[in-house]
Amino acid sequence: MSFVELVSAVNRSMLDLQAAGICSTSIVGVGTRNEAEHLVQCIALLAIKASQFTLSHMDPPAARAALEQRMGATHRLESSRISVLAASPPPGSPCLPGTLRLATSGTSGRSKQVVLNEESLVLQAPRHVENQAQRFACLAPIQHNFAKRHRLYCAAQGAVNLFFDVDDPDRCVRDAERMDATTLHVSALQARGLLSTRGSGHFRQIRLKIGGSHVPLGLRQQIQQELTADLWTGYGTTETGAIAFARPDDHDELECVGQPLPGLSVSIRDQAGQDLPTGERGEITVCGDGLFLGYLADAGGLQQSPAHSCFSTGDIGFIDRQGRLIVCGRQDDMFVFNSMNIHPQEIESCLRDHAAVRDAVVIPKPSAVHGGIPVALVEVEVGMAYDAAELRRWVQQRVGVRCPRQFVVVEQLPRHPSGKLDRTAARALYEQTSTND
């Protein structure tokens, strides 16, 4: 579809939406499964200033209905079928015309609804999609908020959107070659899957961008050796879009995420909100263009809007002497063991560098004496021998007394739909495993 054809499709969609009574006071749940059609409808809804959110076909009907109620939805949009749910938004619900509501991954509790408008998306777009020459594929369905944003970024930048079969790594390789992809955006979990595909040499001329979760050095090096040297690993939030990207020559022991992208500045602040010097850890704060408008309050309207175009991410990190950002993990994930601050991400990164470990999550085991005792849930690499004592010695040599006191092998670690580890579910899995033992 050319951009001329895209504009025509958007105009037709606008007429259909308006004929169904959708206008600037409407709140529309978009559940269309066809990805190109979904994109057209998103742009059309922005154009007529309606408010929109995503309905995922992967959610059960009860969850979809609960989300519609929470959003105060007036309409449901599924392909060409438009369902009227209410004549108008609930009484007292402030109108937020022309907004896109995106759910956070919920890694630190209940998922929040992040509110963006067209201006936010357009300002974020150049930090993800550089120019019209890019042929861009995001290997997640458009019903995932991360993928939806990337589709809109491509449209804003005049780049080419490529739609791939995201569930078949081997077909992805063939599609990338057939469609002349220049850039693939994947999660760390998907990148591991691509490493196992046949014909991975087809990625040599492609830029691979990884976002959504921490990428350990061992995985970065393996990707550069076996898939493509043009590897970019990023850091961003739903509230800000991309914040930084580590370029191909940035991948070292610090596992940095690169320098802040144009239009943004990053500072590291202490608990009092004061800036910390280079090398000191604190909360990552982002200031600049294109930040979200605020979170959607349960009663409608906005709450916790960014102050003075700055957003406190809740992530802990520091800036090195080269001005690069290093992310150490979530502030909420940190726990105290015998008066030591334990940042799980650092230990997990060490575990993932072991040849026998496919993935791992470190969680605290509550103790009245020690605080939180670090324990690790481990996915073992297929076909590799696992020796718990050897793994313990290996990790202890690298992280010292922060080494987990217990290693539990699980068949599969729990994850959010985005591919991020679900730490809440991991704790429940550990408790279940301990009870069974």
Side-chain angles (χ1 to χ4, degrees):
M1 180 185 290
S2 69
F3 272 86
V4 171
E5 292 168 326
L6 175 64
V7 171
S8 296
V10 168
N11 287 336
R12 290 193 301 271
S13 182
M14 288 171 61
L15 292 174
D16 292 340
L17 296 172
Q18 290 169 327
I22 296 176
C23 60
S24 61
T25 60
S26 302
I27 302 172
V28 183
V30 184
T32 300
R33 295 182 65 169
N34 179 284
E35 300 223 345
E37 190 177 357
H38 192 128
L39 176 62
V40 166
Q41 291 169 345
C42 286
I43 298 173
L45 287 167
L46 286 171
I48 62 176
K49 302 300 181 183
S51 179
Q52 60 178 289
F53 63 97
T54 302
L55 288 170
S56 174
H57 69 273
M58 294 179 285
D59 291 336
R64 288 161 61 96
L67 180 59
E68 287 174 338
Q69 183 177 12
R70 181 184 174 190
M71 296 292 101
T74 60
H75 297 80
R76 181 192 305 131
L77 184 55
E78 295 175 296
S79 190
S80 58
R81 186 177 65 186
I82 302 173
S83 303
V84 180
L85 305 179
S88 60
S93 178
C95 183
L96 299 171
T99 56
L100 182 65
R101 304 174 182 185
L102 303 176
T104 64
S105 61
T107 52
S108 58
R110 183 189 181 192
S111 175
K112 299 176 181 177
Q113 291 289 332
V114 174
V115 180
L116 300 168
N117 61 9
E118 187 174 354
E119 182 182 5
S120 306
L121 294 165
V122 169
L123 289 170
Q124 290 177 10
R127 300 198 281 266
H128 290 264
V129 182
E130 294 176 3
N131 52 52
Q132 296 179 9
Q134 286 192 281
R135 301 174 63 84
F136 202 107
C138 184
L139 298 194
I142 196 170
Q143 292 189 337
H144 188 284
N145 286 326
F146 178 71
K148 178 177 285 191
R149 279 188 291 136
H150 273 78
R151 305 304 191 198
L152 292 167
Y153 293 150
C154 278
Q157 289 291 88
V160 178
N161 265 305
L162 303 177
F163 297 94
F164 281 16
D165 184 341
V166 300
D167 297 321
D168 186 343
D170 285 309
R171 183 172 176 180
C172 172
V173 173
R174 297 193 298 272
D175 283 348
E177 183 178 35
R178 178 175 60 86
M179 301 173 85
D180 294 325
T182 63
T183 307
L184 296 183
H185 205 301
V186 302
S187 67
L189 188 65
Q190 288 172 322
R192 292 180 188 276
L194 292 176
L195 283 167
S196 66
T197 61
R198 297 183 299 276
S200 57
H202 292 295
F203 287 103
R204 294 295 181 196
Q205 305 303 317
I206 291 176
R207 173 173 296 174
L208 195 66
K209 302 181 82 171
I210 303 181
S213 58
H214 174 68
V215 187
L217 178 60
L219 178 58
R220 299 186 193 199
Q221 292 174 331
Q222 188 178 6
I223 289 170
Q224 287 192 301
Q225 292 167 4
E226 299 181 25
L227 289 180
T228 176
D230 197 4
L231 172 65
W232 296 48
T233 58
Y235 167 64
T237 69
T238 307
E239 293 87 348
T240 62
I243 295 170
F245 266 105
R247 296 169 180 262
D249 57 354
D250 276 328
H251 307 305
D252 56 22
E253 290 76 10
L254 285 177
E255 299 177 341
C256 79
V257 293
Q259 296 185 349
L261 293 167
L264 295 177
S265 62
V266 173
S267 59
I268 307 299
R269 298 182 180 179
D270 61 19
Q271 293 182 343
Q274 300 300 309
D275 288 354
L276 292 170
T278 298
E280 287 199 25
R281 295 187 183 195
E283 184 175 12
I284 300 169
T285 300
V286 181
C287 302
D289 301 328
L291 303 191
F292 72 125
L293 305 183
Y295 297 113
L296 186 72
D298 287 340
L302 294 176
Q303 64 177 5
Q304 299 179 11
S305 299
H308 308 296
S309 297
C310 289
F311 172 63
S312 299
T313 64
D315 293 321
I316 298 296
F318 65 93
I319 296 175
D320 70 5
R321 295 184 182 279
Q322 296 173 257
R324 306 179 306 173
L325 177 62
I326 292 85
V327 182
C328 303
R330 290 288 302 171
Q331 196 170 38
D332 300 327
D333 296 336
M334 189 196 77
F335 58 93
V336 178
F337 170 59
N338 288 342
S339 301
M340 288 183 296
N341 290 339
I342 301 294
H343 295 277
Q345 181 175 290
E346 296 175 333
I347 305 172
E348 291 159 0
S349 181
C350 174
L351 281 162
R352 293 185 189 109
D353 281 341
H354 192 279
V357 176
R358 178 173 177 80
D359 208 349
V361 60
V362 174
I363 57 175
K365 177 182 178 180
S367 167
V369 176
H370 304 288
I373 300 173
V375 299
L377 302 184
V378 176
E379 276 185 25
V380 176
E381 195 71 63
V382 177
M384 295 293 295
Y386 172 74
D387 184 330
E390 187 275 330
L391 178 61
R392 183 189 301 274
R393 287 193 297 271
W394 192 88
V395 175
Q396 199 165 29
Q397 289 173 357
R398 288 157 177 79
V399 302
V401 294
R402 294 177 296 150
C403 178
R405 292 332 192 235
Q406 183 181 5
F407 295 84
V408 179
V409 175
V410 297
E411 184 176 343
Q412 188 174 34
L413 292 171
R415 293 181 174 85
H416 294 281
S418 63
K420 291 182 182 179
L421 291 169
D422 186 336
R423 296 181 185 276
T424 301
R427 291 189 185 98
L429 179 60
Y430 173 73
E431 291 172 3
Q432 179 185 351
T433 304
S434 300
T435 301
N436 292 340
D437 292 345

